[in-house]
Each structure stands twice: as C-alpha cells, then as structure tokens.
C-alpha cells in the first residue's frame, strides 16, 4: 500500500486527502501545484480529494525568494 | 445555508453572501458600477438597488453590500427598485451626459433624457463620475492609500492629500486601470519610452496579480520573506548551528508570526515606479537594549528571511535579538548575512576548542550565546577586541586560526562557510547538488541569487541528471543576471505567479512573466526581443565577468570549490542526526553497505561519493557554458558572444589554456 510522491514511495492509508498528505510530507510551502496521475488538482479541492492506493502524486514547488 | 428567492428563482446560499453574488450564482443580472470582486463592496453608486422583502417588510437596498443573513425575497426589477435605479442614473446622466458607462446604464434602464438639469453639467466624455473605484483600489488593492475624496455633495472630488501630488504614489497605474471613464490618465514617462502603453500593460499584469493573488501565494505584502523561516524549517533547509542541521524544534520561537505582529509599514520600497508589492517591512518603536543606542526607540528596516535564518544559524531563536542585530548591522554598515555566517563559524570554532575565552577577549561564544555575539558586533564596529578578528570574515579567520592557534586546516575548510571569500547565505544545501553548484559557481561568491534551485532539484526532482542540473545552472544564473543588467528587481518575476503558471511548459521559468519583460524591453527601446535574446544579453556580461574574475585571480575551477559542510555531514553528530537518510543513500546510491560500519567510515564513504558528484556537476556546467574543464570561457565562446575584442582578452585566455 503505497503512493509515489515526487518519485519516492509514501505510505498510503484509506481516507488520505491531498491536504493531509501535504501535512505528512511537511510540504508547507504555499506556491505549489499538485498533480495526481498527471491531472492537476485545484487548490480548493485539496481538502476533499481522496487519494487511492498506487496514485502517483507530483507536488511541484515553484521557486520564489531572493 | 439560507434560502433566498431572487425574482422567480429560489436558491440556498451561505450566510453573509451578498445579494449581487447570490444573483450572479443564479444567473440573474444586477447592474453595478462601483462594485468589483477584489474590493470590499461599498454601495456608493446605488446602481445595484433592488427591493427586498424580509419578515413582511419591504425595503430598497444596494445589492452589492447587503449580506444575506436570513430568509429573503429579492426583486431585482420591481417598480420601486427600477424607480430608484432610474433616478440615480438620471442624476448621473444630467451631470455627465457624455460618459459612455453612464449612457450605457441609462439606456439599459430606458432613459434617453433626464428629467433634471444639473448646475454642474460636464460634457467631458472622460469626466470623473465619483464612483470611488480608484480610491478603494489604491487603499485596499494596492495598499498605498494616496487617493481620497475631498469636499461634499456637488463639490466632491478625487484628490491626493492636500490636493497635491503625493510622493508616496508609486505610479502603478491601478487607479487608471479600474477607472470606468478614463478620467485618470497616466502621463508619459520622462524617459520617453518607445511605447509607454505597452510597458504599462505588462506592468499591470503583475500589479493585478499582487492585488488578487499575493495573500494566497507568498504573502510578500503581509509577511515578506520572513514567511520562509517556518517553511525552510519544514523542508530541513533552515541553517542551525553553522549549517550542521536544517531544522530545529525551537524554530517556532522565531517564525514569521513573531515578526508580522511587529511589522508596521508594509509599503512600497520606493525602488521601482509602478510596483505595488509593498515589500518594505519595518519594526517600528523598537527599544534597543545594548550598545550605543541602548534605551532608544528606533525603526528597524526588516528583518528579512536571511537575517532570521542567520540568527538560527548561530543557534539563537530570539526574534527580539534578531531585530536588534538587524538594526546594528544596518547602523554599522555590516551585511547581516556575512555577520551571521561568520559568527556561526566562530561559535563552532569555540565549541571545537579552536577558540577559547583567552582568544576571544573573555567572551564565551558557544552556539546560542546571544549577548556575546551582539558584543562581537559592537566590537567589530568599534574596531577593537575580538571584533577585529571576527570582522575579517570567514576566509581570513581560517588562515589566522591555522597560523596562530595551530587549528586543523582541513576541519576549518570543511566548516568555514564561504566561497570566493564571501560568506554563505542562509540555506542548507546538503541535499541539493544543483544548489551546491548554485553557491559554488556564483561569480560573486556563495550567494543564492544566481540560482535558487533547491525545490526544483531536491523536492520536485525535476532536474535529476547532471545535464538537467547544468541546464538549470546555465539558464537561471543568466536570467537572474538580466535583472541586474536592467536594474530591475526579480521579486515580481516569481514571488507572485499567474494562476495558470503550472500549466505552462516550463513553470519554473514563469513564461508569462518572461514575456512581460520582453514587452518591457520592446516598450522601452522599440526593438522586439525574444526570451532567448534576454538570455543572450546576460551571457555576454556573465562570461565577461567570469573572465574578469580570472584576471583578478578568482575565475578557475579551484575557485568554484565549496566547503564540505555545504555538500554533506562533516561531523559524526551531523551524520547521526540524519542517519536514516544517509544510510539509505549509501545503500541505494553509493553501493556501500552501511550495516556494521562506524559513523566515521560511513561519513567518509558518503563524502567520497558526494565530492565526486560535485566535480561531475562542475564538468557538466562548464561544458554547457562553453568553458574549459578548468572553468574558463573558451575563445570560441568569447567570439560567439562578441566579447573577444576586449584589450588583452585573447592573451589572457591563451595564457590560461582556453585558446580553443
């Protein structure tokens, strides 16, 4: 039971939302775009979008800063 | 949810929804004039008047700012509602008969001629109709607040304070952009650009994004770069104890809320006309507790992320101390990054026994020694005591400690975080090879402003191969150099990004903003340019700078070396603090079984592998840039860029083996 998050395995559990996954990964940076199996997930839907076992999640952090 | 009936449609809305928004969601049109999504509704023009029935009472209200709090029936086209709207429009038409937006709304309500004559009839088609959109946009959208109303009734006008020209106006043009009549026009720039309107259109893209998106993105206006403290801590990138570690359980003590509650300015920095980023942050009325200004209440410019990150790098987690250090660095003319990084080095030397109280003039300087660290800053400014030593920076201190105290040069070179003599800025780069290159190859020394690639490389895994990293270490330094060529700030490039940026081919480059910069150049000069042209401009300058470095004794491979602390764990403590990560890497990527090995053995194996990867990275970057294996631009590269005609350049390259 695992997801692939940015190319690395991450444990999957039933009921895992994208927002919860971001917390588990400590991906707290706000300027990021999330793709699940290649499809972009709208920011507003991240609290409610459930992940499935085997999903490939790409969390693209955009650069900012000095 | 609350039930609301609008005309013949019944729908449920959340409490607090305005009638305009509820109607919009039901596909019912209510005309508006002074209303826009990104400002608080004001109900100033009363064009959106509707009739409501609640608890058996009827009332005409403005739909834009009437929140639905209980069951409600709305009639958008009742006789009373239409009569109110018509009267409003008749009065406006009587005063401003030629203004298109007024004429269109009047026509929509079936008005051709008003019943009244207005004593101040104004036939100007671009007259100000006092809708107030400009005033509210300046205040709420741009956070500048230089426009306001003066007078009452028929003498009401939009003015800047005292009816003058406010120097605080940043010229962003947002007021002209939202003005529905064209009453506000931007004056042509005294620099006489070829196409001022094109530059303004490009600038307005970012102005709008700041207004609409910044609160959800980088919060540059509310928190500024200080918001990065907690984020860097989450990603194990916040330097702690001279870059030994990337996070600390104490980081919350110095996270951005501690600074945000002090920030009072949040205004434009005044560096670029038209910018509405409001990046300037000040800590006002701050009481100084040490040094020559002890007891004074002062305004401190900042702090920025680097100053806070530098504070944690000394093992200090006190925001008040950070602000005072920020103040004195500014006061003394010392760069906060260099001060923090050299003090972190001093503290590690103290803990390692290279320094002691005798050598520091009685100061105890382990990590976290806030009072003593502040005293060193004062001594640096006074040119006395240990400040005379520390103030010379990491590179010279390394030599002095070896010569004077017999310190181990290898250890000091590993932990002395400088490159080309410049102290590192405040990011832990151990897990991002590309960023190690970003620091090491940077022309000015260890600064991240040529390339900040940690997310692309370490988190997103977007540039896995050496060639990918080399491409990033070509493009981004060239691109960021271009800001320097133009005298532009890079923050509007990627500290706010278009909502659809992720859907573009190369999100990291923010292609829409790059296109905007092309518009800027074309609008200024009258010559069309492509994104590739901008990079070419930088390549010419960047390569010349590298050759200049060569001439001055800093432009070869050996000068791009980095202290090992920036590439991996120097000490056993560091290794063990992230043992799971490093053991996994040894097993999976280095082909070294960590089982049963001592920490020193594992450290050594990891180091051999990581140092070899850094050398391979240099090879790849030099090749991509058209440089020799020794990191020198070849004559062919210089010719291709048209910089080979400089006096002495051919001789210099020939003498350094780059004549090919």
């Amino acid at each position: 039971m695992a997801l692939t998050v940015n190319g690395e395995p991450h444990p999957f559990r039933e009921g895992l939302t994208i927002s919860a996954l971001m917390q588990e990964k400590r991906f707290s940076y706000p300027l990021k775009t999330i793709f699940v199996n290649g499809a972009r997930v709208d920011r507003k839907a991240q609290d409610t979008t459930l992940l499935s076992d085997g999903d490939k999640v790409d969390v693209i952090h955009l650069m900012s800063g000095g | 949810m609350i039930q609301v009936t609008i005309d013949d449609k019944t729908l449920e809305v959340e409490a607090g929804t305005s009638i305009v928004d509820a109607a919009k969601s039901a596909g019912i049109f209510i005309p508006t004039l002074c209303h826009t999504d990104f400002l608080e509704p004001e109900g100033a023009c009363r064009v959106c008047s509707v009739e409501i029935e609640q608890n058996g009472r009827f009332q005409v209200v403005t739909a834009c700012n009437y929140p639905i709090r209980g069951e409600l029936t709305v009639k958008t086209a009742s006789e009373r509602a239409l009569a109110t709207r018509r009267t409003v429009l008749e009065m406006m038409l009587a005063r401003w008969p030629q203004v298109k937006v007024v004429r269109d709304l009047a026509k929509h309500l079936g008005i051709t001629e008003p019943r009244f004559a207005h004593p101040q009839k104004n036939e100007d088609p671009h007259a100000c109709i006092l809708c107030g959109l400009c005033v509210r946009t300046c205040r709420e959208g741009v956070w500048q607040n230089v426009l306001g109303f003066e007078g009452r009734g028929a003498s009401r006008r939009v003015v800047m304070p005292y009816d003058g020209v406010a120097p605080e106006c940043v010229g962003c043009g947002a007021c002209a952009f939202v003005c529905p009549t064209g009453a506000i026009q931007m004056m042509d720039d005294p620099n006489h650009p070829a196409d001022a309107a094109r530059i303004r259109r490009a600038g307005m893209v970012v102005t709008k994004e700041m207004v609409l998106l910044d609160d959800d993105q980088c919060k540059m206006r509310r928190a500024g770069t200080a918001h990065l403290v907690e984020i860097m801590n989450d990603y194990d990138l916040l330097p702690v104890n001279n870059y030994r570690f990337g996070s600390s359980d104490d980081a919350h003590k110095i996270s951005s809320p501690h600074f945000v509650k002090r920030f009072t300015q949040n205004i434009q920095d005044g560096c670029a006309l038209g910018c509405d980023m409001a990046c300037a942050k000040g800590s006002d009325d701050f009481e100084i507790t040490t040094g020559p200004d002890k007891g004074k209440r002062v305004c401190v410019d900042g702090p920025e992320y680097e100053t806070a990150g530098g504070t944690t790098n000394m093992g200090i987690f006190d925001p008040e101390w950070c602000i005072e250090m920020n103040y004195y660095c500014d006061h003394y003319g010392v760069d906060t990054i260099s001060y923090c990084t050299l003090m972190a080095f001093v503290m590690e030397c103290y803990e390692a026994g290279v320094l002691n109280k005798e050598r520091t003039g009685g100061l105890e300087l382990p990590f976290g020694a806030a009072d003593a660290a502040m005293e060193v800053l004062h001594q640096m400014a006074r040119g006395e005591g240990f400040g005379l030593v520390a103030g010379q920076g990491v590179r010279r201190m390394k030599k002095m400690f070896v010569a004077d105290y017999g310190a181990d040069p290898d250890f000091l070179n590993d932990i002395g975080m400088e490159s080309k003599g410049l102290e590192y800025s405040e990011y832990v780069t151990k897990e991002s090879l590309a960023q190690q290159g970003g620091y090491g190859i940077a022309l000015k020394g260890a600064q991240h402003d040529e390339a900040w690639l940690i997310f692309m490389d370490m988190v997103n895994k977007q540039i896995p191969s050496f060639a990918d990293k080399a491409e990033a270490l070509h493009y981004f330094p060239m691109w960021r150099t271009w800001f320097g060529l133009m005298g532009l700030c890079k923050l509007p490039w990627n500290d706010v990004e278009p909502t659809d940026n992720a859907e573009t081919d190369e999100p990291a480059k923010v292609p829409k903003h790059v296109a905007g910069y092309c518009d800027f150049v074309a609008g200024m000069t009258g010559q069309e340019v492509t994104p590739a042209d901008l990079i070419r401009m930088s390549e010419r300058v960047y390569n010349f700078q590298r050759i200049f470095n060569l001439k001055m004794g800093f432009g070869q491979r050996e000068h791009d070396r980095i202290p090992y602390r920036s590439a991996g764990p120097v000490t056993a403590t560091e290794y063990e603090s992230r043992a799971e990560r490093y053991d996994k890497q040894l097993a999976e990527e280095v082909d070294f079984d960590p089982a049963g090995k001592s920490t020193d053995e594992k450290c050594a194996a990891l180091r051999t592998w990581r140092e070899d990867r850094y050398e391979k990275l240099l090879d790849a970057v030099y090749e991509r840039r058209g440089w020799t294996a020794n990191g020198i631009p070849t004559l062919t590269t210089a010719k291709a860029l048209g910089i080979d005609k400089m006096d002495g350049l051919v001789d210099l390259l020939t003498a350094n083996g780059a004549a090919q």
Side-chain angles (χ1 to χ4, degrees), chain A residues 6 28 40 61-63 65, chain B residues 234-235 452 459 490 497 503:
Chain A
N6 287 3
S28 59
R40 189 170 79 89
H61 293 60
L62 299 171
M63 285 186 290
Chain B
D234 282 347
Y235 290 82
W452 199 94
V459 184
K490 62 91 20 199
E497 296 185 354
E503 258 115 281

Side-chain angles (χ1 to χ4, degrees), chain A:
Chain A
M1 299 266 281
L3 304 164
T4 306
V5 182
N6 287 3
E8 290 181 354
H10 185 88
F12 170 76
R13 59 178 165 79
E14 289 295 334
L16 185 67
T17 64
I18 290 182
S19 296
L21 174 67
M22 292 305 107
Q23 284 181 7
E24 286 179 13
K25 292 289 293 181
R26 296 183 75 181
F27 282 174
S28 59
Y29 181 66
L31 208 55
K32 58 186 184 291
T33 305
I34 300 169
F35 298 86
V36 176
N37 302 323
R40 189 170 79 89
V41 181
D42 193 79
R43 177 190 291 260
K44 288 173 189 154
Q46 289 170 11
D47 284 344
T48 50
T49 302
L50 290 170
L51 292 162
S52 306
D53 192 16
D55 275 349
K56 181 175 175 292
V57 185
D58 289 303
V59 187
I60 303 302
H61 293 60
L62 299 171
M63 285 186 290
S64 72

Side-chain angles (χ1 to χ4, degrees), chain B residues 503-518:
Chain B
E503 258 115 281
T504 58
D505 288 344
E506 295 179 290
K509 294 183 179 177
V510 201
K512 279 192 177 174
H513 285 184
V514 174
Y517 288 109
C518 291

